[in-house]
């Protein structure tokens, strides 16, 4: 133990050895205690004095009449508990009393002395508890105001008092420690309470034994821990509630299960104490008779402070200081230096290991510990002990900036140490991208493949979290460690990097395709979009197969699960991959054809059909496969459209011409199949299809689209452009039949075309006139005017047509003349009847009622229509004939309807436009009097007749 290093981690306070107990304390100091920022001293004259932090006298009071023997300041309440001698009430009763003072309550100002309230007085010795010398004293605050007081006696007994002393609600019991009769050997020299969970334990020490009482048992159970003890003032409790006793040969520690460690500090232990993890000992040296005060740091095995002192009477701890009171009333106040001062002292002596242990045992913060380790590492580095220096720097990871260490070890000769540091940096997950780059460069420079494998291919499953994945891939790839880069990329799920290395660095296209096939569909789709151009260039067929699987996966299942195409919308669309075929249209056409063959109701079918049409109708489609087979030979292919609209190709390779014709056939089939009869709009963009057909001179497609869109005039315009008279007439026969939804006006356009042709087309004109005459499309005058513009046509062409039309018109004129005569006769008869009604009387000769057919009697009603009725048969309606009224009302309703229709101008003009003879529609409106101005006077007059309204008929 004498080899323990001595340090001056403590220093004297309050002027060192010149500090004195105030003169106001005149008696001999018998006891002392500290707590709640006060120092309390009791003397043999019964006075108790309180001192402040500077050991200045605060106030004193007479606690006991004779002497104060024991004091203890409580921690939870500002109470002082004292034991002392007072006046005896009777010779049989001892004057030894226990008092409790409330230091927060002082005597009234009018009193002669300044003293606190004594809230409780208790006689210690009674008949049941006989008198003995008190050797030790201890108070435990269980739950205020409950106190547990243990009083050790020289006869081996402990008197215990528990309860509220102020209210005198207490219980007493006695504990027997040692029953030996040897004088002085059974005195209770020390006491110590320990709370072990809910259990309360009491240590009791005598010169010959160490005992433990379990206070929760009734009566308390005693357990003998050891058969050695100690004298008074050599007992203390550590901050871990361990009992400490001091004997001449050593200092012993005790737990609840017996003796623990012991420390062989030789010499008589006059005083023993515990302060913030330090063991305090006042040791008497028998050789020179001097007393030495030592402060031991047991964890670090060093003496934190040592000095020779006078005879010590009391040792206390308060205000973070250690206070020693000497027998000559001098005092010594010792305080611990701050951590920085202690470390500076150790650094000056290069005692870095001691400094490290010190900061660790005193639970300093991690940054302070790291700073000590850094200084130790710098010290070792300066001594060129690089391995040990690096060991210290590794402990600073997380607190010391890594660049500080890395800069010191960048020399190539110390690359092994740098590698070790960087490995630990990654192990703790504190490495940045630059650190990962540097570590991998170290491995590659050392060509240490084994360590690289351990770092990259860690089997703990968390290797991907120890470094920046992208940086590791980039560095390994740059150093040509492609396999390692691929391993990291695959393990981290960086599929884009894995494929980049396979395709761009290694050219392993089959392996790349196989890897893509193993991915999830969503991930595979992303990778194909990024690297599909390379794959299509080198492996077109295999790439198309992968795309088919991506776009049509579980298509049959989807059809069974849902019928509305909802599942299909979740699959990738072929349109998403069009960009990868930018230089390979042939492969794109193959892919889209396969897709459309398998999927009939794709959500993107319009876009797909548009793309296919563009490929099918394109004249200058590239053929990479042919150019590769023929070593890139240029065939100088030039496409043109002949007068008949067919494709002609100038080139040496007939297979290209054949393929172009096949594509056009596919395009026409697509135009037709993608526009079913039950759909109003096709499954492609019509405007785009028309533009493509126009651009590529695809006549068949153009005619089909115009016909489907009912643009019949554009259809015949196509035939007119190429002067295909036979096809033109055939087209009009098919499209000009109004009975089949055609447009008869096409014949008028055709006649106009022949009239302006400027060449002999008599045969065609005669055929056209046949259909114009059959459907009565044009008046003869218009026909004559149209054909008169063609100087090559003679009158013989239309002679028969004109003769037939004149004969037909003559027949119509004759029919109209006869109808006019008939209408004139009817009109004259009606006017005569009206005149007769106005001028001549009517004789009613009916003898029966028209309604009931009984004999007519008065009162009777006769109408001008020659119907007669009983008045009772008519009821309330006597103004109109029940027999003729319905017919009259229907006529009037028809007239009102015609008058309303005359106001609907849109309907009138629509009928004029849609009729073959517009003039007949106008004449009909005039004939019905709809658009003529008629007077309502005659109608009103006729309806005002006295008895009947039959004049309206």
């Amino acid at each position: 133990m004498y080899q323990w290093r001595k340090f001056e981690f403590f220093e004297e306070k309050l002027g060192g050895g010149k500090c004195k107990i105030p003169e106001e304390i005149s008696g001999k100091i018998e006891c002392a205690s500290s707590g709640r920022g006060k120092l309390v001293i009791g003397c043999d004259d019964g006075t108790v004095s309180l001192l402040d932090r500077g050991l200045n006298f605060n106030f004193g009071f007479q606690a006991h009449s004779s002497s104060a023997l024991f004091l203890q300041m409580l921690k939870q309440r500002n109470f002082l508990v004292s034991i002392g001698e007072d006046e005896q009430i009777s010779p049989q009763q001892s004057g030894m009393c226990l008092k409790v003072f409330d230091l927060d309550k002082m005597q009234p100002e009018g009193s002669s002395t300044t003293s606190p309230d004594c809230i409780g007085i208790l006689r210690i010795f009674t008949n049941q508890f006989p008198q003995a010398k008190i050797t030790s004293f201890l108070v435990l605050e269980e739950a205020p105001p409950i106190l547990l007081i243990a009083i050790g006696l020289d006869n081996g007994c402990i008197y215990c008092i528990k309860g509220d002393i102020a209210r005198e609600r207490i219980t007493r019991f006695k504990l027997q420690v040692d029953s030996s009769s040897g004088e002085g050997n059974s005195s209770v020299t020390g006491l110590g309470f320990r709370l072990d969970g809910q259990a309360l334990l009491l240590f009791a020490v005598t010169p010959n034994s160490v005992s433990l009482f379990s206070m929760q048992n009734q009566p308390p159970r005693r357990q003998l821990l050891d058969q050695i003890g100690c004298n008074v003032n050599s007992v203390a409790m550590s901050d871990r509630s361990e009992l400490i006793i001091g004997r001449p040969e050593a200092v012993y520690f005790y737990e609840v299960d017996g003796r623990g460690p012991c420390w062989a500090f030789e010499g008589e232990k006059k005083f023993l104490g515990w302060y913030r993890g330090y063991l305090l000992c006042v040791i008497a040296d028998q050789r020179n008779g001097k007393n030495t005060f030592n402060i031991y740091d047991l964890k670090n095995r060093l003496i934190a402070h040592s000095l020779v002192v006078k005879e010590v009477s009391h040792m206390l701890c308060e205000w973070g200081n250690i206070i020693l009171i000497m027998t000559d009333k001098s005092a010594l106040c010792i305080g611990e230096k701050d951590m920085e001062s202690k470390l500076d002292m150790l650094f000056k002596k290069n005692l870095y290991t001691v400094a490290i242990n010190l900061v660790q045992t005193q639970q300093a913060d991690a940054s302070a510990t790291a700073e000590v380790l850094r200084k130790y590492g710098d010290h070792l580095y300066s001594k060129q002990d690089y391995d040990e220096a690096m060991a210290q720097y590794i402990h600073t990871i997380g607190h010391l900036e890594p660049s500080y260490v890395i800069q010191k070890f960048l020399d190539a000769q110390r690359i092994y140490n740098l590698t070790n540091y960087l490995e630990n940096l990654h192990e703790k997950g504190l490495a940045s991208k630059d650190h990962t780059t540097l570590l991998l460069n170290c491995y590659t420079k050392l060509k240490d493949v084994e360590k690289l494998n351990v770092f990259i291919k860690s089997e703990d499953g968390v290797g991907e979290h120890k470094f920046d994945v992208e940086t590791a891939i980039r560095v390994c790839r740059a150093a040509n460690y492609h396999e390692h880069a691929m391993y990291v990329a695959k393990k981290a799920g960086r599929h884009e990097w894995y494929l980049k290395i396979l395709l761009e660095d290694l050219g392993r296209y089959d392996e790349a395709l196989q890897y893509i096939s193993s991915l999830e569909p969503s991930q595979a789709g992303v990778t194909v979009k990024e690297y599909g151009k390379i794959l299509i260039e080198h492996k077109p067929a295999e790439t198309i197969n992968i795309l088919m699987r991506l776009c049509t996966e579980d298509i049959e299942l989807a059809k069974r699960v849902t019928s509305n195409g909802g599942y299909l919308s979740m699959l990738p669309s072929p349109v998403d991959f069009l960009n990868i075929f930018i230089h390979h249209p042939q492969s794109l056409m193959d892919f889209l054809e396969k897709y459309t063959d398998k999927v009939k109701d794709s959500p993107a079918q319009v876009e797909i059909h548009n793309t296919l049409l563009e490929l099918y109708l394109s004249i200058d489609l590239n053929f990479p496969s042919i150019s590769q087979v023929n070593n890139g030979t240029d065939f100088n292919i030039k496409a043109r459209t002949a007068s008949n609209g067919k494709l002609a190709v100038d080139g040496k390779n007939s297979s290209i011409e054949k393929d172009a014709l096949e594509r056009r056939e596919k395009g026409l089939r697509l135009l037709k199949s993608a526009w079913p009869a039950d759909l109003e709009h096709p499954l492609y963009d019509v405007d785009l299809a028309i533009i493509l057909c126009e651009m590529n001179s695809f006549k068949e497609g153009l005619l089909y689209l115009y016909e489907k869109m009912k643009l019949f005039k554009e259809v015949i315009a196509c035939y007119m452009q190429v002067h295909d008279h036979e096809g033109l007439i055939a087209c009009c026969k098919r499209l000009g039949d109004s009975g089949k939804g055609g447009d008869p006006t096409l014949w008028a356009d055709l006649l106009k075309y022949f009239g302006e042709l400027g060449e002999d087309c008599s045969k065609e004109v005669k055929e056209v006139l046949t259909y114009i005459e059959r459907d009565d499309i044009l008046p003869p005058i218009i026909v004559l005017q149209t054909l008169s513009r063609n100087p090559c046509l003679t009158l013989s062409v239309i002679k028969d047509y004109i003769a037939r039309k004149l004969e037909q018109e003559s027949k119509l004129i004759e029919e109209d003349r006869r109808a006019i005569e008939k209408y004139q006769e009817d009109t004259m008869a009606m006017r005569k009847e009206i005149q007769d009604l106005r001028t001549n009387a009517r004789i009613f000769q009916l003898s029966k009622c028209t309604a009931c057919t009984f004999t007519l009697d008065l009162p009777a009603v006769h109408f001008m229509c020659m119907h007669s009725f009983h008045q009772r048969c008519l009821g309330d309606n006597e103004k109109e004939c029940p027999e003729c009224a319905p017919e009259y009302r229907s006529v009037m309703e028809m007239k009102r309807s015609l008058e309303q229709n005359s106001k609907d101008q849109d309907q009138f003009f629509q009928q004029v436009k849609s009729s073959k003879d517009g003039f007949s529609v106008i004449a009909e409106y005039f004939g019905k009097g709809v658009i003529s101005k008629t007077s309502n006077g005659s109608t009103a007059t006729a309806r005002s007749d006295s008895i009947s309204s039959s004049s309206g008929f």
Side-chain angles (χ1 to χ4, degrees), residues 288 335 511 593 675 769 916:
N288 53 23
E511 186 175 345
E593 285 176 347
W675 198 337
L769 287 176
K916 295 181 181 180

Side-chain angles (χ1 to χ4, degrees), residues 422-603:
L422 292 171
E423 286 173 347
N424 282 273
L425 200 63
H426 283 81
E427 190 69 29
K428 294 183 180 181
L430 299 174
S432 66
K433 297 180 181 180
D434 295 331
H435 299 147
T436 302
T437 303
L438 187 58
L439 177 58
L440 293 174
N441 285 332
C442 290
Y443 286 149
T444 55
K445 184 171 288 187
L446 293 172
K447 298 188 183 301
D448 193 344
V449 180
E450 183 179 352
K451 277 196 171 183
L452 184 61
N453 289 337
V454 172
F455 181 75
I456 295 296
K457 302 181 179 181
S458 175
E459 296 298 331
D460 55 5
V462 295
E464 62 271 21
H465 301 299
K466 294 180 181 178
F467 52 82
D468 184 75
V469 173
E470 188 169 342
T471 301
I473 296 172
R474 179 171 46 80
V475 174
C476 291
R477 187 185 179 198
N480 292 326
Y481 285 89
H482 296 118
E483 295 297 331
H484 293 80
M486 288 167 57
Y487 179 87
V488 175
K490 187 173 183 179
K491 188 174 182 180
R494 300 294 182 88
H495 312 299
E496 67 279 4
W497 277 102
Y498 188 87
L499 292 170
K500 185 185 287 288
I501 297 169
L502 275 178
L503 297 173
E504 297 180 4
D505 297 338
L506 304 178
R508 286 147 58 172
Y509 306 109
D510 291 329
E511 186 175 345
L513 289 168
Q514 185 177 0
Y515 181 77
I516 293 174
S517 300
S518 65
L519 297 177
E520 292 291 329
S522 58
Q523 297 173 341
V526 173
T527 54
V528 171
K529 289 178 185 178
E530 187 169 358
Y531 300 104
K533 293 180 182 178
I534 301 176
L535 294 172
I536 282 292
E537 182 178 357
H538 295 89
K539 297 288 181 180
E542 293 82 353
T543 306
I544 289 174
N545 290 335
I546 289 180
L547 289 174
M548 286 297 297
R549 284 200 299 272
L550 286 176
C551 298
T552 63
E553 184 179 10
D554 296 333
I555 199 72
E556 297 300 327
L557 175 62
K559 290 181 179 179
R560 291 195 297 268
V561 171
T562 178
S563 60
N564 57 6
Y567 184 86
L568 289 177
S569 62
M570 300 170 59
L571 295 174
S573 171
V575 180
D576 300 335
F577 303 100
L578 295 183
N579 64 309
I580 70 176
F581 296 94
I582 188 67
H583 299 301
H584 306 278
Q586 183 66 47
S587 299
L588 175 59
M589 189 167 62
D590 295 341
F591 167 54
L592 294 180
E593 285 176 347
K594 288 185 177 180
Y595 181 82
T596 53
D597 289 342
K598 190 170 185 179
V599 182
K600 302 300 182 183
D601 52 354
S602 170

Side-chain angles (χ1 to χ4, degrees), residues 102 104-118:
D102 187 350
D104 290 331
K105 296 180 180 179
M106 307 301 291
Q107 292 287 349
E109 295 181 359
S111 60
S112 58
T113 59
T114 302
S115 62
D117 266 355
C118 179

Side-chain angles (χ1 to χ4, degrees), residues 918-941:
F919 181 78
S920 62
V921 176
I922 298 174
E924 182 182 0
Y925 268 73
F926 271 105
K928 293 179 180 179
V930 175
I931 56 177
S932 62
K933 293 183 178 180
T934 58
S935 175
N936 295 326
S938 61
T939 304
T941 302

Side-chain angles (χ1 to χ4, degrees), residues 119-121 145 163-170:
I119 61 173
I121 301 176
D164 186 356
I165 297 176
R167 297 183 180 181
E168 297 184 357
R169 297 176 180 175
I170 61 172

